Amino acid sequence: MRIKRLDVLRAIAVLFVLFLHADLPFFRRMGWTGVDLFFVLSGFLISGLLFSEYKKRGSISFKRFFIRRGLKIYPSFYLMIAMTVGVELALKLPLTVGDCIREVFFVQNYSFGIWAHTWSLAIEEHFYIVLPMLLLFLTRISRDRTNPFRAIPWVFGFVAAACLVLRAATIYLNPTPQFRWEMVANPTHERIDSLFFGVLLSYLQHFHTGFIEDLLARTRNRIVAGLLIPALLWTCFFLPHENHFLLTFGLTFLYLGFGLLLILNLQVRDIFRGRLARSFSLLGTGLAYIGMYSYSIYLWHLPFVSWAPGVLRRLFDIRMNHLEFTLVFIFGGIVFGIAMSKLIEYPVLRVRDRIFPAMQGLATGRADAGREGATTSIETPAA
């Protein structure tokens, strides 16, 4: 079964990014935070798949994990890159071999490739390599077969401190006139801490069962946690992008706040009653539907807005004002992303689940495509 609450968070994340790129006034400053919400969700969900596999089988298959992730990410991504190259060549727009190589090999977060939004996919891709290798290493050196991952809190602490120091060093070593936001915001070694915070939360959920539930059992603790979220997020919502505090401690506060939001979202239930509850349920259903397709929406929204106005102008002589362009961007980007997901992403996933069913499902004898479809549904959109 789907985890609707996580789909809602994924929808919020992708909508933040869409609203930012649509240049909506309120989201010009804070829309970028949607990517960090994706990062926390990704760390939580991807590590959760690996933790579940270990608990059920006593081992982790790196090869199977990477094949399954690749079939989730690569078909849509490489099709988008191929279409981009075709359009750029047809229109005789500037495009270098280096741009394509950086995209193809997922290093566009260190040197700009073709699209402005795929840097986050590069960070995710690096995380998919580092995380299973780390977990496999911990299983090799630990004598505890029940929980060989006891070092995870220490690993997170090291990664969090290292990323914070590296962000500060980048700012210090680059004079203000030459400094750019991307120097801190894009490199994996300065942003992977948000993903590892999700890993920490997933570890606590899987191997310290009841810890988070007990912590939030009291109403007072839930209120404190709820108040901490805006307290942690405010810097990222209101400070300018290149503010040095934002790019150091602010990014740390951001993933801590989103982590709390994730945990409260999963643990706290039935806040509203009656008509208000029904209204929120309808809203949640709509958002969850968008969240199901968030990876493809994120992936295709900039190509769509780059190509759609030209197509409309050349075929139908339609020229849009700013408001019309914004509406086409948001609604068209969502519809186009969902369509591409149904055409590419989900058909590939169904084939994947028949050929390479999840090890969690194999362990319990329930690896059928329908059951595994539920497992796939909670995976991150990788943005």
Side-chain angles (χ1 to χ4, degrees), residues 144-379:
D144 184 351
R145 294 295 90 193
T146 303
N147 177 12
F149 309 114
R150 295 184 184 278
I152 288 293
W154 296 99
V155 172
F156 164 71
F158 172 79
V159 171
C163 287
L164 181 59
V165 170
L166 288 169
R167 291 197 294 265
T170 299
I171 294 171
Y172 179 78
L173 295 174
N174 289 276
T176 301
Q178 301 174 9
F179 179 77
R180 301 188 312 278
W181 150 271
E182 293 83 3
M183 292 179 175
V184 169
N186 289 13
T188 300
H189 64 276
E190 299 185 26
R191 298 302 304 279
I192 204 169
D193 49 349
S194 54
L195 289 135
F196 269 92
F197 186 57
V199 174
L200 174 65
L201 296 176
S202 181
Y203 167 75
L204 293 175
Q205 184 184 62
H206 281 270
F207 292 96
H208 294 271
T209 306
F211 174 79
I212 294 174
E213 291 85 346
D214 294 342
L215 193 63
L216 297 176
R218 294 183 179 182
T219 302
R220 180 183 63 184
N221 290 353
R222 293 198 296 268
I223 293 174
V224 170
L227 292 175
L228 273 175
I229 293 173
L232 290 166
L233 298 183
W234 76 268
T235 55
C236 301
F237 286 169
F238 296 107
L239 292 178
H241 284 180
E242 295 184 358
N243 179 277
H244 290 180
F245 181 83
L246 169 63
L247 290 175
T248 50
F249 291 98
L251 292 177
T252 299
F253 294 162
L254 183 60
Y255 68 70
L256 293 175
F258 280 146
L260 277 176
L261 177 64
L262 168 62
I263 293 304
L264 283 177
N265 182 57
L266 290 174
Q267 299 299 326
V268 178
R269 303 178 184 277
D270 301 326
I271 298 176
F272 302 105
R273 295 288 190 274
R275 186 173 300 176
L276 187 60
R278 289 192 293 273
S279 299
F280 272 91
S281 179
L282 289 174
L283 176 62
T285 299
L287 288 174
Y289 183 78
I290 293 174
M292 287 173 55
Y293 306 103
S294 54
Y295 170 55
S296 287
I297 293 172
Y298 181 86
L299 183 65
W300 290 97
H301 78 281
L302 282 186
F304 172 81
V305 77
S306 297
W307 301 333
V311 171
L312 291 174
R313 184 172 61 253
R314 294 187 181 206
L315 294 183
F316 306 105
D317 196 28
I318 296 176
R319 302 175 187 275
M320 296 177 288
N321 57 36
H322 180 71
L323 176 60
E324 292 168 340
F325 176 81
T326 300
L327 293 175
V328 168
F329 187 166
I330 295 173
F331 293 104
I334 292 172
V335 171
F336 187 73
I338 291 174
M340 295 305 292
S341 182
K342 290 178 177 291
L343 286 172
I344 308 298
E345 181 186 354
Y346 275 91
V348 172
L349 289 181
R350 285 192 288 270
V351 173
R352 178 199 73 174
D353 294 338
R354 286 196 296 269
I355 302 174
F356 299 101
M359 299 297 275
Q360 304 97 305
L362 289 175
T364 58
R366 292 182 294 180
D368 56 276
R371 177 62 181 170
E372 174 50 21
T375 304
T376 299
S377 71
I378 66 170
E379 291 180 354

Side-chain angles (χ1 to χ4, degrees), residues 60 64 88 294 380:
I60 292 173
R64 197 179 196 90
E88 298 276 313
S294 54
T380 178

